[in-house]
């Protein structure tokens, strides 16, 4: 791979990394490199210095008060396999497990997936339904960034130049007594495996004993300039049972939550149909489980 990189620096600490990024406008962080190396090769990014994030201790998954914290450099295969994630955030575990093939999952990191900010980033819908809060660090200090406001457009986030994403906090779901939690991540594409999503959907439903929804959170990828929460569809479901009429109402409301475009992967019209199908399937499953 022919890339125009003149220097790769391996800082030993986060402070060293942020100091480098603050003083070198030509430098960018590199984690797994599965997005960045391709962009450099194709001339889509022009950077002469890479700051390697390996070795900064940012690849841990740990239980903290009322949630789980994932280091930004945690690889997808670790997220997909972690019992804390599989049991508490199954949509995120499933999303991580669908990113590329095994070799990609062994390189690709959560932080890279988020900062690359593709509308199709598979972990994003799962983090949106979890209400994740990201932590960014720079020489100016530390700031929390709710994932809900993190994405600004394709390839763009609220992260400032010189800021590093260091971790992602996921609060545990609140499930009242007598309710059950259903959480899924599904994606549609031209193949079952190794596919960039034409549409992805993460859903979380807290279902009461009588089958009505105590809470529903829905988020989709590849249907708008950024991954999006489907607030109108959620409102159409709250307090209701997912019978045929409710599901039809939610699917109609969903069409106002999304703004897909035609591109090389699929026409907008197909994305609208696929989003409706994924939502209907999720609701049927929530009704059944
Ligand atoms: C064959 C292939 C298949 C793929 N399949 C999928 C798929 O199915 N689904 C999917 O969502 N993606 C897919 N991807 C894209 C990619 O693998 C993911 O987006 C991955 O998570 C990126 O992580 P990374 O560590 O490799 O990021 P990198 O390439 O290292 O970095 C990506 C961007 O994030 C920045 N960055 C990285 N870490 C930080 C940090 N901690 N703080 C600040 N900035 C940071 C970098 O500067 C760069 O701009 C695929 C890629 C390939 C090559």
């Amino acid at each position: 791979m022919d890339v125009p990189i003149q220097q790769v620096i391996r800082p030993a600490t986060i402070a060293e990394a942020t100091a480098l990024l603050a003083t070198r406008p030509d430098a960018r962080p590199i984690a797994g490199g599965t997005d960045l190396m391709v962009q450099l090769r194709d001339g889509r990014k022009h950077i002469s210095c890479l700051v390697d994030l390996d070795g900064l201790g940012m690849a841990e998954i740990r239980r903290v008060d009322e949630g789980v914290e994932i280091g930004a450099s945690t690889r997808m295969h670790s997220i997909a396999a972690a019992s804390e994630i599989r049991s508490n955030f199954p949509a995120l575990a499933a999303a991580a497990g669908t990113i590329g093939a095994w070799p990609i999952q062994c390189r690709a990191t959560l932080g890279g997936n988020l900062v690359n900010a593709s509308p199709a980033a598979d972990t994003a819908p799962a983090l949106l339904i979890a209400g994740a809060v990201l932590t960014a660090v720079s020489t100016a200090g530390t700031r929390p960034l709710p994932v809900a406001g993190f994405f600004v457009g394709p390839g763009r986030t609220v992260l400032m130049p010189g800021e590093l994403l260091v971790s992602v906090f996921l609060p545990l779901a609140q499930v009242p007594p007598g309710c059950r939690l259903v959480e899924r991540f599904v994606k549609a594409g031209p193949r079952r495996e190794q596919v960039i999503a034409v549409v992805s959907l993460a859903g979380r439903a807290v279902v009461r004993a009588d089958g009505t929804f105590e809470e529903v959170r829905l988020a989709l990828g590849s249907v708008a300039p950024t991954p999006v929460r489907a607030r109108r569809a959620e409102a159409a479901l709250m307090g209701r049972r997912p019978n045929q009429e409710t599901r039809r109402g939610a699917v109609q409301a969903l069409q106002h939550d999304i703004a897909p475009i035609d591109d090389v992967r699929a026409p907008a019209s197909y994305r609208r149909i696929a989003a409706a199908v994924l939502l209907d399937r999720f609701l049927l499953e929530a009704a059944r489980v």
Side-chain angles (χ1 to χ4, degrees):
M1 193 183 277
D2 191 17
V3 290
I5 294 298
Q6 286 160 13
Q7 199 179 10
V8 178
I9 304 177
R10 297 200 76 184
T13 62
I14 291 174
E16 209 183 300
T18 51
L20 264 167
L21 292 168
T23 50
R24 293 276 309 256
D26 61 325
R28 288 285 180 285
I30 183 162
T34 60
D35 278 319
L36 189 54
M37 292 305 282
V38 179
Q39 292 159 358
L40 289 169
R41 181 201 59 189
D42 295 350
R44 283 183 279 150
K45 288 220 167 127
H46 303 280
I47 299 158
S48 56
C49 172
L50 293 176
V51 178
D52 186 351
L53 303 182
D54 267 355
L56 298 185
M58 301 202 310
E60 240 187 279
I61 298 174
R62 58 191 189 104
R63 184 66 198 267
V64 291
D65 279 351
E66 296 172 12
V68 173
E69 192 176 82
I70 307 177
S73 296
T74 308
R75 313 280 178 194
M76 295 301 171
H77 79 92
S78 302
I79 295 171
S83 57
E84 285 286 6
I85 306 296
R86 292 171 75 90
S87 55
N88 295 305
F89 306 100
L92 178 60
T98 69
I99 291 190
W102 177 246
I104 291 291
Q105 288 171 26
C106 292
R107 293 293 311 162
T109 65
L110 183 60
N113 197 230
L114 298 174
V115 179
N116 187 59
S118 161
D122 280 329
T123 62
L127 295 190
L128 282 167
I129 62 160
V133 179
L134 322 182
T135 298
V137 170
S138 71
T139 50
T142 299
R143 61 179 186 135
L145 301 170
V147 72
F150 185 70
F151 303 106
V152 178
R156 293 191 300 122
T157 72
V158 295
L159 218 57
M160 310 277 276
E163 264 186 326
L164 261 190
L165 187 63
V166 291
S167 63
V168 175
F169 170 72
L170 297 149
L172 293 176
Q174 301 298 313
V175 185
C179 291
R180 61 194 166 81
L181 184 73
V182 183
E183 197 184 287
R184 296 286 183 275
F185 171 82
V186 276
K187 71 178 180 184
R191 299 181 297 274
R192 269 181 188 275
E193 304 275 334
Q194 296 186 44
V195 70
I196 301 290
V198 161
V199 176
S200 61
L201 179 141
R204 177 187 281 185
V206 178
V207 188
R208 299 184 191 120
D210 67 0
T212 57
F213 287 131
E214 167 82 13
E215 191 185 3
V216 186
R217 294 183 187 182
L218 303 164
L220 292 96
S222 290
V223 291
T226 66
V228 283
R229 270 289 281 276
R231 302 271 186 191
R232 291 183 183 86
E234 290 174 6
L237 292 162
M238 288 293 285
R240 294 171 196 260
R241 196 172 275 111
N243 55 26
Q244 199 177 22
E245 189 192 343
T246 307
R247 296 200 319 275
R248 194 175 297 136
V251 159
Q252 279 166 2
L254 177 71
Q255 299 304 324
H256 301 284
D257 286 314
I258 63 178
I261 54 163
D262 297 330
D263 72 10
V264 286
R265 285 199 207 99
S269 55
Y270 177 81
R271 289 187 148 102
R272 287 194 176 277
I273 295 166
V277 170
L278 294 188
L279 175 57
D280 197 54
R281 282 191 196 154
F282 169 68
L283 295 174
L284 279 172
E285 203 173 339
R288 208 171 37 231
V289 174

